[in-house]
Amino acid sequence: MDKLLIQGGSPLHGEVSISGAKNAALPILCASLLSAEPLHVTNLPHLNDVSTMLRLIGQMGVEVTMDGSDGLILNSHDLNNPAAPYDMVKTMRASILVLGPLLARCGEAKVSLPGGCAIGARPVDQHIKGLQAMGAEIRVENGYVIAQASRLKGARIVTDMVTVTGTENLMMAAVLAEGETIIENAAREPEVLDLANCLTSMGAHISGAGTDSIKIRGVERLHGASHAVMPDRIETGTYLCAAAATRGAVRLTNTSADYLDSVVQKLREAGCDVLAEPDGIVLKAPQRLKAVNVRTEPYPAFPTDMQAQFMAINCVAEGSAVIRETIFENRFMHAVELIRLGADIKIDANNALVTGVQHLNGATVMATDLRASASLVIAGLVAQGETLIERIYHLDRGYERIEEKLTRLGASVRRVR
Ligand code: UD1
C-alpha cells in the first residue's frame, strides 16, 4: 500500500494549477444517465473516485470515450443495467447519486445502500423520502434500495436537514418528472449550482439553484450538451492552508476565490494576505499564524471538508482556538494522529480545543479519511524531520497528483511503498 514520505520544514512557494471539483464531477457524470444523447464533460479531475464512478456507469451500459483532449464523452444511449452493486457503492458513498437519474430515465433502479463510513453514519433517508414524495415505490431489501416508478411526478419536498447529494439526487430525478418539483431547505453548495448548470444546458428547466429553494419543471427528455466542471474549492483551500502553515507564498491558478468566502475570511483572520485574481488566488503567510475558531455549517458558512486542514494550521498557530464540527458526528479522527506529531488538542464531543505549539515533530501517522489525510499532509510539511503517512489511498480519492503539485511548490514529498 502506498505511503507518503514528507521531509518537513520548507515553506511552499510558487504557482500550481487547481483541478476540477470532485464533488461537482461525480453528480455531473451521473447526469449523463438522464439523456440518450452524449454528454461531453471537460475539466474532470484524475481521481480514483472519478474512475470508480466511470466504472459504475460503464457497467450500466454508458459508453465512455476520450474527446482527443482532456475531456470525456459519455453516451448512455444503450443504458441497460440500472443497478449499482455493493462492491462499488461500498468504496464510494457518492454512488447513491445514480439512484435519482436511473429512476427518472429507466423507471427502475437497484442501488446498494451505502453503509456508514469513517466520519459518521451518513444515512440516505432524505434521498428515499424525496423520491417517494415524487411517486416512486421504494423498498429496502437485502441491503439494496429497490425503486420503481412509471413516471415520477413533481412534488414539494422539504428536506429535514441540508443534504448536498440528497439535493442533487432529487434535482436529477425531477428534471424528467411530470410537472413541477420544489426542493425546500436545498443545499446551496456551489457544486449543486454547477450540476444545475449542466442539466440546464441539457435542456432542463431549473431555477433557484444556489439558493435554499430550487424549482424544477420536468421535461419529456434531455438532449446532449457540453460542460466544463468548476474548479475544486476544497483542493484550493487545502493548498492555501498548506502555504499558510509553512509560512509560504503561493499563487493558485485555474480556480477562484468566489466560492471560498468563509475560508478566505478565516485565513485573513489568521494573519494571511489573500488576494483574489480573475483566474486564481494568491496567499502570503505571516511569520506566525494566529489560532482561529471554526464552526462547520452548510454553505455559505465554513465547510466541514476544510475543518481538518484548519485544525492542522491551528496546531502551529499562536494561541488557542475551538473547532466545532456540526455536520458529521465522528470527524475528528485526524486529531489523534496530529497529537502523535506533537499537537496539543483536547476533544470534547464535537468540540476540539487546539493550542498552538512552536514545533511539530515528524512521526508515522495513519490517514483515516480523505480530508483527515490532507490535514496530516499539512502537518507533515510543517513538522521538523520526517513524517510517513500510511493509507494514502484516501488522498488519491480526492487530490490529483498531490505529491507532484507539492513538489512543484518546493516541498520534499515522495510516494513510497
Ligand atoms: C457531501 C460531500 C462531502 C461533504 C458533505 C457535507 C459529495 C460527493 N460529498 O456529502 O464531501 O463533506 O456533502 O458538505 O458531494 N444526512 C441524513 N440523511 C440523508 C442525507 C444526509 O441524515 O438522507 C445527514 C448526514 O449524515 C450528515 C448531513 O446530513 O450529517 C449532511 O450530509 P450530506 O450533505 O448529505 O453529505 P453528502 O452529500 O454525503
Side-chain angles (χ1 to χ4, degrees), residues 22-24 26-27 49 92-97 119-129 160-168 187 189 191 233-234 297-299 303-306 326-329 331 370-371 397:
K22 170 180 86 74
N23 286 355
L26 297 176
D49 273 10
M92 187 182 64
R93 297 180 44 82
S95 309
I96 193 71
L97 282 165
I119 62 174
R122 300 179 85 173
V124 290
D125 56 311
Q126 301 301 309
H127 305 231
I128 293 176
K129 272 197 218 164
D160 291 352
M161 78 285 295
V162 177
T163 155
V164 178
T165 50
T167 302
E168 292 165 345
E189 266 66 4
E191 293 76 15
R233 64 193 168 100
I234 306 300
E297 295 277 4
Y299 188 85
T304 174
D305 285 353
M306 284 302 301
T326 76
I327 309 285
F328 293 112
E329 63 272 25
R331 207 170 197 185
L370 173 53
R371 307 304 169 187
R397 291 186 40 217

Side-chain angles (χ1 to χ4, degrees), residues 129-173:
K129 272 197 218 164
L131 293 170
Q132 281 170 332
M134 295 168 77
E137 274 181 34
I138 301 185
R139 59 184 204 280
V140 176
E141 221 172 75
N142 307 115
Y144 278 82
V145 180
I146 300 170
Q148 276 182 323
S150 51
R151 184 169 179 203
L152 293 168
K153 294 199 172 41
R156 183 165 183 275
I157 300 163
V158 186
T159 56
D160 291 352
M161 78 285 295
V162 177
T163 155
V164 178
T165 50
T167 302
E168 292 165 345
N169 231 340
L170 298 176
M171 191 163 71
M172 288 193 277

Side-chain angles (χ1 to χ4, degrees), residues 2-334:
D2 286 5
K3 300 169 186 173
L4 213 57
L5 185 63
I6 304 178
Q7 182 70 46
S10 318
L12 298 191
H13 277 290
E15 192 170 300
V16 85
S17 170
I18 296 299
S19 304
K22 170 180 86 74
N23 286 355
L26 297 176
I28 285 167
L29 293 179
C30 296
S32 71
L33 298 166
L34 286 162
S35 170
E37 293 180 24
L39 178 65
H40 176 215
V41 189
T42 57
N43 203 33
L44 273 170
H46 298 97
L47 297 171
N48 284 352
D49 273 10
V50 168
S51 314
T52 305
M53 188 60 91
L54 288 170
R55 269 205 312 282
L56 180 62
I57 61 175
Q59 59 89 41
M60 293 172 187
V62 178
E63 193 187 285
V64 181
T65 47
M66 316 264 273
D67 69 356
S69 174
D70 78 327
L72 292 180
I73 298 162
L74 309 164
N75 193 332
S76 358
H77 187 268
D78 297 322
L79 197 61
N80 53 27
N81 179 27
Y86 176 67
D87 275 355
M88 286 191 171
V89 178
K90 76 172 182 204
T91 64
M92 187 182 64
R93 297 180 44 82
S95 309
I96 193 71
L97 282 165
V98 299
L99 180 61
L102 285 178
L103 194 54
R105 168 97 186 276
C106 308
E108 57 174 330
K110 183 177 175 191
V111 177
S112 170
L113 207 54
C117 71
I119 62 174
R122 300 179 85 173
V124 290
D125 56 311
Q126 301 301 309
H127 305 231
I128 293 176
K129 272 197 218 164
L131 293 170
Q132 281 170 332
M134 295 168 77
E137 274 181 34
I138 301 185
R139 59 184 204 280
V140 176
E141 221 172 75
N142 307 115
Y144 278 82
V145 180
I146 300 170
Q148 276 182 323
S150 51
R151 184 169 179 203
L152 293 168
K153 294 199 172 41
R156 183 165 183 275
I157 300 163
V158 186
T159 56
D160 291 352
M161 78 285 295
V162 177
T163 155
V164 178
T165 50
T167 302
E168 292 165 345
N169 231 340
L170 298 176
M171 191 163 71
M172 288 193 277
V175 292
L176 291 182
E178 189 186 327
E180 187 177 87
T181 298
I182 299 175
I183 308 172
E184 300 285 9
N185 200 25
R188 290 180 281 169
E189 266 66 4
E191 293 76 15
V192 174
L193 179 59
D194 202 33
L195 171 65
N197 289 340
C198 173
L199 292 168
T200 302
S201 61
M202 294 167 77
H205 292 285
I206 302 174
S207 61
T211 76
D212 61 1
S213 177
I214 305 180
K215 202 181 275 186
I216 303 124
R217 188 157 48 80
V219 294
E220 290 277 337
R221 63 185 59 80
L222 295 180
H223 50 70
S226 186
H227 184 82
V229 175
M230 67 176 285
D232 197 312
R233 64 193 168 100
I234 306 300
E235 189 196 19
T236 306
T238 301
Y239 282 99
L240 292 178
C241 284
T246 59
R247 301 175 186 175
V250 294
R251 166 175 280 116
L252 308 179
T253 58
N254 292 322
T255 185
S256 158
D258 281 356
Y259 298 117
L260 273 169
D261 284 344
S262 58
V263 170
V264 166
Q265 205 171 305
K266 285 292 163 191
L267 287 165
R268 287 190 177 135
E269 214 177 299
C272 298
D273 278 336
V274 186
L275 183 71
E277 295 189 332
D279 179 39
I281 184 162
V282 173
L283 178 139
K284 187 171 181 306
Q287 262 315 299
R288 181 104 199 259
L289 294 164
K290 292 192 278 286
V292 287
N293 295 326
V294 163
R295 179 191 164 95
T296 65
E297 295 277 4
Y299 188 85
F302 189 90
T304 174
D305 285 353
M306 284 302 301
Q307 178 258 103
Q309 299 87 320
F310 268 74
M311 189 179 287
I313 70 174
N314 276 342
C315 286
V316 289
E318 192 184 331
S320 299
V322 174
I323 294 192
R324 178 145 205 223
E325 172 60 53
T326 76
I327 309 285
F328 293 112
E329 63 272 25
N330 191 24
R331 207 170 197 185
F332 279 153
M333 278 176 308
H334 41 284

